[in-house]
mmCIF file of all heavy atoms in Angstrom:
data_model
loop_
_atom_site.group_PDB
_atom_site.id
_atom_site.type_symbol
_atom_site.label_atom_id
_atom_site.label_comp_id
_atom_site.label_asym_id
_atom_site.label_seq_id
_atom_site.Cartn_x
_atom_site.Cartn_y
_atom_site.Cartn_z
ATOM 1 N N GLY A 1 0.803 -1.207 0.000
ATOM 2 C CA GLY A 1 0.000 0.000 0.000
ATOM 3 C C GLY A 1 0.836 1.256 0.000
ATOM 4 O O GLY A 1 2.068 1.221 -0.062
ATOM 5 N N SER A 2 0.147 2.384 0.102
ATOM 6 C CA SER A 2 0.798 3.685 0.034
ATOM 7 C C SER A 2 0.318 4.593 1.149
ATOM 8 O O SER A 2 -0.809 4.478 1.631
ATOM 9 C CB SER A 2 0.505 4.366 -1.311
ATOM 10 O OG SER A 2 1.013 3.615 -2.395
ATOM 11 N N LEU A 3 1.190 5.487 1.546
ATOM 12 C CA LEU A 3 0.864 6.554 2.476
ATOM 13 C C LEU A 3 1.599 7.809 2.039
ATOM 14 O O LEU A 3 2.666 7.734 1.435
ATOM 15 C CB LEU A 3 1.272 6.213 3.909
ATOM 16 C CG LEU A 3 0.420 5.216 4.692
ATOM 17 C CD1 LEU A 3 1.098 4.891 6.019
ATOM 18 C CD2 LEU A 3 -0.976 5.763 4.933
ATOM 19 N N ARG A 4 1.029 8.945 2.375
ATOM 20 C CA ARG A 4 1.681 10.216 2.127
ATOM 21 C C ARG A 4 1.809 10.967 3.441
ATOM 22 O O ARG A 4 0.800 11.326 4.050
ATOM 23 C CB ARG A 4 0.898 11.059 1.122
ATOM 24 C CG ARG A 4 1.651 12.307 0.660
ATOM 25 C CD ARG A 4 0.742 13.252 -0.096
ATOM 26 N NE ARG A 4 1.476 14.303 -0.776
ATOM 27 C CZ ARG A 4 0.940 15.450 -1.188
ATOM 28 N NH1 ARG A 4 -0.357 15.673 -1.004
ATOM 29 N NH2 ARG A 4 1.687 16.352 -1.805
ATOM 30 N N LEU A 5 3.026 11.194 3.862
ATOM 31 C CA LEU A 5 3.293 11.939 5.070
ATOM 32 C C LEU A 5 3.491 13.411 4.751
ATOM 33 O O LEU A 5 4.042 13.764 3.709
ATOM 34 C CB LEU A 5 4.542 11.409 5.777
ATOM 35 C CG LEU A 5 4.580 9.911 6.096
ATOM 36 C CD1 LEU A 5 5.856 9.574 6.859
ATOM 37 C CD2 LEU A 5 3.347 9.488 6.871
ATOM 38 N N SER A 6 3.052 14.248 5.660
ATOM 39 C CA SER A 6 3.234 15.683 5.529
ATOM 40 C C SER A 6 3.968 16.219 6.742
ATOM 41 O O SER A 6 3.818 15.702 7.850
ATOM 42 C CB SER A 6 1.888 16.399 5.400
ATOM 43 O OG SER A 6 1.185 15.981 4.253
ATOM 44 N N CYS A 7 4.746 17.237 6.529
ATOM 45 C CA CYS A 7 5.445 17.928 7.608
ATOM 46 C C CYS A 7 5.289 19.413 7.386
ATOM 47 O O CYS A 7 5.846 19.964 6.429
ATOM 48 C CB CYS A 7 6.924 17.536 7.639
ATOM 49 S SG CYS A 7 7.914 18.488 8.810
ATOM 50 N N ALA A 8 4.536 20.046 8.252
ATOM 51 C CA ALA A 8 4.272 21.466 8.143
ATOM 52 C C ALA A 8 5.113 22.242 9.146
ATOM 53 O O ALA A 8 5.171 21.890 10.326
ATOM 54 C CB ALA A 8 2.794 21.755 8.366
ATOM 55 N N ALA A 9 5.756 23.282 8.680
ATOM 56 C CA ALA A 9 6.532 24.158 9.541
ATOM 57 C C ALA A 9 5.669 25.300 10.047
ATOM 58 O O ALA A 9 4.735 25.734 9.375
ATOM 59 C CB ALA A 9 7.744 24.699 8.790
ATOM 60 N N SER A 10 5.994 25.767 11.242
ATOM 61 C CA SER A 10 5.208 26.830 11.855
ATOM 62 C C SER A 10 5.347 28.161 11.145
ATOM 63 O O SER A 10 4.471 29.014 11.240
ATOM 64 C CB SER A 10 5.605 26.986 13.331
ATOM 65 O OG SER A 10 6.972 27.321 13.449
ATOM 66 N N GLY A 11 6.441 28.344 10.448
ATOM 67 C CA GLY A 11 6.690 29.576 9.725
ATOM 68 C C GLY A 11 7.468 29.313 8.459
ATOM 69 O O GLY A 11 7.701 28.162 8.083
ATOM 70 N N ARG A 12 7.861 30.374 7.816
ATOM 71 C CA ARG A 12 8.595 30.246 6.566
ATOM 72 C C ARG A 12 9.929 29.558 6.800
ATOM 73 O O ARG A 12 10.649 29.877 7.756
ATOM 74 C CB ARG A 12 8.820 31.624 5.937
ATOM 75 C CG ARG A 12 9.487 31.586 4.570
ATOM 76 C CD ARG A 12 9.685 32.986 4.015
ATOM 77 N NE ARG A 12 10.595 33.764 4.829
ATOM 78 C CZ ARG A 12 11.922 33.728 4.741
ATOM 79 N NH1 ARG A 12 12.503 32.920 3.850
ATOM 80 N NH2 ARG A 12 12.675 34.486 5.520
ATOM 81 N N ILE A 13 10.258 28.634 5.942
ATOM 82 C CA ILE A 13 11.520 27.908 6.021
ATOM 83 C C ILE A 13 12.560 28.666 5.207
ATOM 84 O O ILE A 13 12.363 28.912 4.017
ATOM 85 C CB ILE A 13 11.364 26.478 5.502
ATOM 86 C CG1 ILE A 13 10.343 25.722 6.349
ATOM 87 C CG2 ILE A 13 12.711 25.752 5.508
ATOM 88 C CD1 ILE A 13 10.018 24.341 5.842
ATOM 89 N N PRO A 14 13.675 29.048 5.820
ATOM 90 C CA PRO A 14 14.711 29.761 5.072
ATOM 91 C C PRO A 14 15.238 28.943 3.906
ATOM 92 O O PRO A 14 15.288 27.710 3.961
ATOM 93 C CB PRO A 14 15.804 29.997 6.121
ATOM 94 C CG PRO A 14 15.072 30.004 7.426
ATOM 95 C CD PRO A 14 13.997 28.974 7.258
ATOM 96 N N SER A 15 15.633 29.628 2.864
ATOM 97 C CA SER A 15 16.065 28.968 1.639
ATOM 98 C C SER A 15 17.312 28.122 1.829
ATOM 99 O O SER A 15 17.548 27.198 1.048
ATOM 100 C CB SER A 15 16.315 30.016 0.547
ATOM 101 O OG SER A 15 15.137 30.732 0.233
ATOM 102 N N THR A 16 18.101 28.406 2.842
ATOM 103 C CA THR A 16 19.336 27.668 3.068
ATOM 104 C C THR A 16 19.128 26.359 3.826
ATOM 105 O O THR A 16 20.067 25.584 3.968
ATOM 106 C CB THR A 16 20.342 28.530 3.836
ATOM 107 O OG1 THR A 16 19.726 29.033 5.031
ATOM 108 C CG2 THR A 16 20.800 29.712 2.980
ATOM 109 N N TYR A 17 17.933 26.093 4.308
ATOM 110 C CA TYR A 17 17.690 24.888 5.098
ATOM 111 C C TYR A 17 17.655 23.639 4.231
ATOM 112 O O TYR A 17 17.319 23.682 3.040
ATOM 113 C CB TYR A 17 16.360 24.999 5.839
ATOM 114 C CG TYR A 17 16.405 25.787 7.121
ATOM 115 C CD1 TYR A 17 17.395 26.717 7.370
ATOM 116 C CD2 TYR A 17 15.415 25.596 8.090
ATOM 117 C CE1 TYR A 17 17.415 27.445 8.544
ATOM 118 C CE2 TYR A 17 15.427 26.320 9.265
ATOM 119 C CZ TYR A 17 16.421 27.246 9.493
ATOM 120 O OH TYR A 17 16.434 27.967 10.659
ATOM 121 N N VAL A 18 17.991 22.530 4.867
ATOM 122 C CA VAL A 18 17.763 21.206 4.323
ATOM 123 C C VAL A 18 16.709 20.528 5.188
ATOM 124 O O VAL A 18 16.794 20.557 6.416
ATOM 125 C CB VAL A 18 19.054 20.374 4.289
ATOM 126 C CG1 VAL A 18 18.752 18.907 3.992
ATOM 127 C CG2 VAL A 18 20.013 20.933 3.254
ATOM 128 N N MET A 19 15.730 19.932 4.553
ATOM 129 C CA MET A 19 14.674 19.232 5.260
ATOM 130 C C MET A 19 14.820 17.738 5.022
ATOM 131 O O MET A 19 15.140 17.309 3.912
ATOM 132 C CB MET A 19 13.300 19.699 4.792
ATOM 133 C CG MET A 19 13.086 21.198 4.907
ATOM 134 S SD MET A 19 13.126 21.789 6.622
ATOM 135 C CE MET A 19 11.673 20.978 7.298
ATOM 136 N N GLY A 20 14.570 16.959 6.059
ATOM 137 C CA GLY A 20 14.749 15.528 5.938
ATOM 138 C C GLY A 20 13.678 14.724 6.633
ATOM 139 O O GLY A 20 12.960 15.226 7.511
ATOM 140 N N TRP A 21 13.566 13.481 6.221
ATOM 141 C CA TRP A 21 12.722 12.490 6.874
ATOM 142 C C TRP A 21 13.615 11.400 7.455
ATOM 143 O O TRP A 21 14.521 10.895 6.774
ATOM 144 C CB TRP A 21 11.724 11.861 5.908
ATOM 145 C CG TRP A 21 10.594 12.754 5.511
ATOM 146 C CD1 TRP A 21 10.483 13.497 4.385
ATOM 147 C CD2 TRP A 21 9.397 12.979 6.258
ATOM 148 N NE1 TRP A 21 9.292 14.181 4.367
ATOM 149 C CE2 TRP A 21 8.605 13.879 5.516
ATOM 150 C CE3 TRP A 21 8.908 12.508 7.475
ATOM 151 C CZ2 TRP A 21 7.355 14.314 5.953
ATOM 152 C CZ3 TRP A 21 7.673 12.950 7.909
ATOM 153 C CH2 TRP A 21 6.913 13.837 7.149
ATOM 154 N N PHE A 22 13.359 11.052 8.695
ATOM 155 C CA PHE A 22 14.024 9.949 9.372
ATOM 156 C C PHE A 22 12.970 8.988 9.895
ATOM 157 O O PHE A 22 11.795 9.334 9.991
ATOM 158 C CB PHE A 22 14.887 10.455 10.536
ATOM 159 C CG PHE A 22 16.105 11.220 10.119
ATOM 160 C CD1 PHE A 22 16.015 12.534 9.700
ATOM 161 C CD2 PHE A 22 17.361 10.623 10.156
ATOM 162 C CE1 PHE A 22 17.132 13.253 9.321
ATOM 163 C CE2 PHE A 22 18.495 11.329 9.784
ATOM 164 C CZ PHE A 22 18.378 12.636 9.365
ATOM 165 N N ARG A 23 13.400 7.801 10.245
ATOM 166 C CA ARG A 23 12.487 6.850 10.852
ATOM 167 C C ARG A 23 13.221 6.041 11.909
ATOM 168 O O ARG A 23 14.434 5.867 11.857
ATOM 169 C CB ARG A 23 11.854 5.920 9.811
ATOM 170 C CG ARG A 23 12.827 4.975 9.125
ATOM 171 C CD ARG A 23 12.133 4.228 7.999
ATOM 172 N NE ARG A 23 13.006 3.275 7.348
ATOM 173 C CZ ARG A 23 12.672 2.578 6.270
ATOM 174 N NH1 ARG A 23 11.460 2.730 5.728
ATOM 175 N NH2 ARG A 23 13.541 1.725 5.736
ATOM 176 N N GLN A 24 12.466 5.555 12.869
ATOM 177 C CA GLN A 24 13.029 4.748 13.930
ATOM 178 C C GLN A 24 12.058 3.637 14.284
ATOM 179 O O GLN A 24 10.934 3.895 14.710
ATOM 180 C CB GLN A 24 13.343 5.593 15.166
ATOM 181 C CG GLN A 24 14.094 4.833 16.242
ATOM 182 C CD GLN A 24 14.631 5.754 17.322
ATOM 183 O OE1 GLN A 24 14.089 6.832 17.562
ATOM 184 N NE2 GLN A 24 15.701 5.334 17.970
ATOM 185 N N ALA A 25 12.502 2.420 14.095
ATOM 186 C CA ALA A 25 11.732 1.252 14.471
ATOM 187 C C ALA A 25 12.063 0.867 15.902
ATOM 188 O O ALA A 25 13.143 1.204 16.411
ATOM 189 C CB ALA A 25 12.034 0.090 13.526
ATOM 190 N N PRO A 26 11.166 0.166 16.589
ATOM 191 C CA PRO A 26 11.434 -0.236 17.965
ATOM 192 C C PRO A 26 12.734 -1.018 18.095
ATOM 193 O O PRO A 26 12.979 -1.963 17.340
ATOM 194 C CB PRO A 26 10.227 -1.104 18.316
ATOM 195 C CG PRO A 26 9.137 -0.607 17.431
ATOM 196 C CD PRO A 26 9.823 -0.244 16.146
ATOM 197 N N GLY A 27 13.572 -0.613 19.029
ATOM 198 C CA GLY A 27 14.825 -1.292 19.271
ATOM 199 C C GLY A 27 15.917 -1.002 18.270
ATOM 200 O O GLY A 27 16.996 -1.602 18.355
ATOM 201 N N LYS A 28 15.673 -0.111 17.329
ATOM 202 C CA LYS A 28 16.660 0.210 16.310
ATOM 203 C C LYS A 28 17.021 1.688 16.355
ATOM 204 O O LYS A 28 16.292 2.504 16.911
ATOM 205 C CB LYS A 28 16.149 -0.163 14.919
ATOM 206 C CG LYS A 28 15.905 -1.648 14.729
ATOM 207 C CD LYS A 28 15.509 -1.959 13.302
ATOM 208 C CE LYS A 28 15.313 -3.443 13.100
ATOM 209 N NZ LYS A 28 14.925 -3.757 11.702
ATOM 210 N N GLU A 29 18.158 2.006 15.754
ATOM 211 C CA GLU A 29 18.609 3.382 15.710
ATOM 212 C C GLU A 29 17.823 4.171 14.676
ATOM 213 O O GLU A 29 17.264 3.618 13.728
ATOM 214 C CB GLU A 29 20.106 3.446 15.404
ATOM 215 C CG GLU A 29 20.993 2.836 16.475
ATOM 216 C CD GLU A 29 22.460 2.998 16.177
ATOM 217 O OE1 GLU A 29 22.806 3.496 15.084
ATOM 218 O OE2 GLU A 29 23.278 2.635 17.030
ATOM 219 N N ARG A 30 17.806 5.479 14.870
ATOM 220 C CA ARG A 30 17.138 6.344 13.922
ATOM 221 C C ARG A 30 17.867 6.314 12.587
ATOM 222 O O ARG A 30 19.092 6.374 12.524
ATOM 223 C CB ARG A 30 17.077 7.765 14.477
ATOM 224 C CG ARG A 30 16.189 8.708 13.692
ATOM 225 C CD ARG A 30 15.768 9.885 14.551
ATOM 226 N NE ARG A 30 16.889 10.517 15.216
ATOM 227 C CZ ARG A 30 16.784 11.414 16.190
ATOM 228 N NH1 ARG A 30 15.572 11.765 16.618
ATOM 229 N NH2 ARG A 30 17.858 11.943 16.739
ATOM 230 N N GLU A 31 17.111 6.239 11.517
ATOM 231 C CA GLU A 31 17.639 6.006 10.185
ATOM 232 C C GLU A 31 17.200 7.105 9.229
ATOM 233 O O GLU A 31 16.028 7.484 9.191
ATOM 234 C CB GLU A 31 17.157 4.640 9.673
ATOM 235 C CG GLU A 31 17.510 4.321 8.237
ATOM 236 C CD GLU A 31 16.802 3.086 7.737
ATOM 237 O OE1 GLU A 31 15.728 2.753 8.281
ATOM 238 O OE2 GLU A 31 17.320 2.436 6.807
ATOM 239 N N PHE A 32 18.133 7.596 8.445
ATOM 240 C CA PHE A 32 17.822 8.569 7.411
ATOM 241 C C PHE A 32 16.988 7.923 6.322
ATOM 242 O O PHE A 32 17.274 6.812 5.879
ATOM 243 C CB PHE A 32 19.116 9.129 6.817
ATOM 244 C CG PHE A 32 18.919 10.045 5.644
ATOM 245 C CD1 PHE A 32 18.616 11.380 5.830
ATOM 246 C CD2 PHE A 32 19.054 9.575 4.355
ATOM 247 C CE1 PHE A 32 18.440 12.233 4.763
ATOM 248 C CE2 PHE A 32 18.883 10.409 3.268
ATOM 249 C CZ PHE A 32 18.574 11.745 3.477
ATOM 250 N N VAL A 33 15.968 8.626 5.880
ATOM 251 C CA VAL A 33 15.092 8.130 4.825
ATOM 252 C C VAL A 33 15.256 8.944 3.549
ATOM 253 O O VAL A 33 15.516 8.399 2.477
ATOM 254 C CB VAL A 33 13.619 8.146 5.264
ATOM 255 C CG1 VAL A 33 12.710 7.717 4.113
ATOM 256 C CG2 VAL A 33 13.421 7.245 6.472
ATOM 257 N N ALA A 34 15.095 10.253 3.653
ATOM 258 C CA ALA A 34 15.177 11.118 2.486
ATOM 259 C C ALA A 34 15.419 12.548 2.929
ATOM 260 O O ALA A 34 15.041 12.941 4.032
ATOM 261 C CB ALA A 34 13.897 11.040 1.646
ATOM 262 N N GLY A 35 16.037 13.323 2.058
ATOM 263 C CA GLY A 35 16.271 14.722 2.342
ATOM 264 C C GLY A 35 16.116 15.559 1.097
ATOM 265 O O GLY A 35 16.267 15.060 -0.027
ATOM 266 N N ILE A 36 15.812 16.820 1.287
ATOM 267 C CA ILE A 36 15.642 17.738 0.175
ATOM 268 C C ILE A 36 16.104 19.119 0.594
ATOM 269 O O ILE A 36 15.862 19.554 1.720
ATOM 270 C CB ILE A 36 14.172 17.753 -0.314
ATOM 271 C CG1 ILE A 36 14.033 18.553 -1.608
ATOM 272 C CG2 ILE A 36 13.246 18.294 0.767
ATOM 273 C CD1 ILE A 36 12.679 18.388 -2.274
ATOM 274 N N ARG A 37 16.779 19.794 -0.305
ATOM 275 C CA ARG A 37 17.161 21.169 -0.065
ATOM 276 C C ARG A 37 15.961 22.070 -0.285
ATOM 277 O O ARG A 37 15.161 21.836 -1.206
ATOM 278 C CB ARG A 37 18.313 21.569 -0.993
ATOM 279 C CG ARG A 37 19.001 22.868 -0.627
ATOM 280 C CD ARG A 37 20.170 23.165 -1.574
ATOM 281 N NE ARG A 37 21.142 22.090 -1.587
ATOM 282 C CZ ARG A 37 22.058 21.889 -0.661
ATOM 283 N NH1 ARG A 37 22.123 22.716 0.387
ATOM 284 N NH2 ARG A 37 22.901 20.881 -0.755
ATOM 285 N N TRP A 38 15.824 23.108 0.555
ATOM 286 C CA TRP A 38 14.659 23.964 0.440
ATOM 287 C C TRP A 38 14.700 24.824 -0.811
ATOM 288 O O TRP A 38 13.655 25.260 -1.302
ATOM 289 C CB TRP A 38 14.507 24.839 1.693
ATOM 290 C CG TRP A 38 13.121 25.378 1.838
ATOM 291 C CD1 TRP A 38 12.737 26.684 1.828
ATOM 292 C CD2 TRP A 38 11.930 24.614 1.994
ATOM 293 N NE1 TRP A 38 11.379 26.781 1.973
ATOM 294 C CE2 TRP A 38 10.857 25.530 2.081
ATOM 295 C CE3 TRP A 38 11.662 23.242 2.078
ATOM 296 C CZ2 TRP A 38 9.536 25.114 2.232
ATOM 297 C CZ3 TRP A 38 10.348 22.830 2.224
ATOM 298 C CH2 TRP A 38 9.309 23.760 2.310
ATOM 299 N N SER A 39 15.858 25.077 -1.310
ATOM 300 C CA SER A 39 16.012 25.745 -2.590
ATOM 301 C C SER A 39 16.827 24.859 -3.515
ATOM 302 O O SER A 39 17.667 24.077 -3.062
ATOM 303 C CB SER A 39 16.682 27.112 -2.426
ATOM 304 O OG SER A 39 17.994 26.985 -1.906
ATOM 305 N N GLY A 40 16.590 24.981 -4.793
ATOM 306 C CA GLY A 40 17.254 24.122 -5.751
ATOM 307 C C GLY A 40 16.523 22.804 -5.910
ATOM 308 O O GLY A 40 15.381 22.643 -5.471
ATOM 309 N N SER A 41 17.187 21.850 -6.526
ATOM 310 C CA SER A 41 16.559 20.586 -6.883
ATOM 311 C C SER A 41 17.179 19.365 -6.230
ATOM 312 O O SER A 41 16.772 18.240 -6.527
ATOM 313 C CB SER A 41 16.587 20.412 -8.408
ATOM 314 O OG SER A 41 17.911 20.430 -8.898
ATOM 315 N N ALA A 42 18.130 19.545 -5.350
ATOM 316 C CA ALA A 42 18.851 18.421 -4.768
ATOM 317 C C ALA A 42 17.963 17.615 -3.830
ATOM 318 O O ALA A 42 17.201 18.174 -3.044
ATOM 319 C CB ALA A 42 20.088 18.904 -4.023
ATOM 320 N N SER A 43 18.075 16.308 -3.916
ATOM 321 C CA SER A 43 17.405 15.401 -3.003
ATOM 322 C C SER A 43 18.273 14.176 -2.801
ATOM 323 O O SER A 43 19.174 13.900 -3.595
ATOM 324 C CB SER A 43 16.013 15.005 -3.508
ATOM 325 O OG SER A 43 16.096 14.334 -4.750
ATOM 326 N N LEU A 44 18.000 13.429 -1.745
ATOM 327 C CA LEU A 44 18.806 12.270 -1.400
ATOM 328 C C LEU A 44 17.916 11.235 -0.734
ATOM 329 O O LEU A 44 17.045 11.585 0.060
ATOM 330 C CB LEU A 44 19.940 12.680 -0.456
ATOM 331 C CG LEU A 44 20.938 11.603 -0.030
ATOM 332 C CD1 LEU A 44 21.774 11.159 -1.224
ATOM 333 C CD2 LEU A 44 21.833 12.124 1.083
ATOM 334 N N TYR A 45 18.156 9.958 -1.052
ATOM 335 C CA TYR A 45 17.351 8.881 -0.518
ATOM 336 C C TYR A 45 18.230 7.784 0.059
ATOM 337 O O TYR A 45 19.333 7.524 -0.441
ATOM 338 C CB TYR A 45 16.463 8.259 -1.597
ATOM 339 C CG TYR A 45 15.424 9.186 -2.159
ATOM 340 C CD1 TYR A 45 15.694 9.963 -3.276
ATOM 341 C CD2 TYR A 45 14.169 9.284 -1.573
ATOM 342 C CE1 TYR A 45 14.741 10.819 -3.797
ATOM 343 C CE2 TYR A 45 13.208 10.131 -2.086
ATOM 344 C CZ TYR A 45 13.497 10.900 -3.194
ATOM 345 O OH TYR A 45 12.539 11.741 -3.712
ATOM 346 N N ALA A 46 17.727 7.147 1.093
ATOM 347 C CA ALA A 46 18.347 5.927 1.559
ATOM 348 C C ALA A 46 18.159 4.835 0.518
ATOM 349 O O ALA A 46 17.140 4.789 -0.179
ATOM 350 C CB ALA A 46 17.734 5.488 2.886
ATOM 351 N N ASP A 47 19.148 3.946 0.409
ATOM 352 C CA ASP A 47 19.061 2.883 -0.586
ATOM 353 C C ASP A 47 17.817 2.018 -0.389
ATOM 354 O O ASP A 47 17.239 1.519 -1.359
ATOM 355 C CB ASP A 47 20.305 2.009 -0.529
ATOM 356 C CG ASP A 47 21.539 2.711 -1.065
ATOM 357 O OD1 ASP A 47 21.396 3.709 -1.788
ATOM 358 O OD2 ASP A 47 22.657 2.249 -0.764
#
């Protein structure tokens, strides 16, 4: 199946920020999932 997660910021996000998604399963360390630069087109994903 599919899900769409949203993350809303309380205010304007500066253009220099990088935003990311992480996840943590029970008993495991927090893991990087995906990231995106707030300006430009760069993005990065976990394998």
Side-chain angles (χ1 to χ4, degrees):
S2 298
L3 285 173
R4 189 192 192 200
L5 306 183
S6 299
C7 173
S10 60
R12 184 180 64 84
I13 299 175
S15 298
T16 53
Y17 278 22
V18 168
M19 304 296 295
W21 287 98
F22 290 78
R23 66 187 182 186
Q24 187 169 26
K28 297 185 178 180
E29 295 184 355
R30 190 159 50 192
E31 174 190 25
F32 174 83
V33 176
I36 189 169
R37 193 178 303 281
W38 199 242
S39 63
S41 59
S43 61
L44 183 68
Y45 295 91
D47 289 341

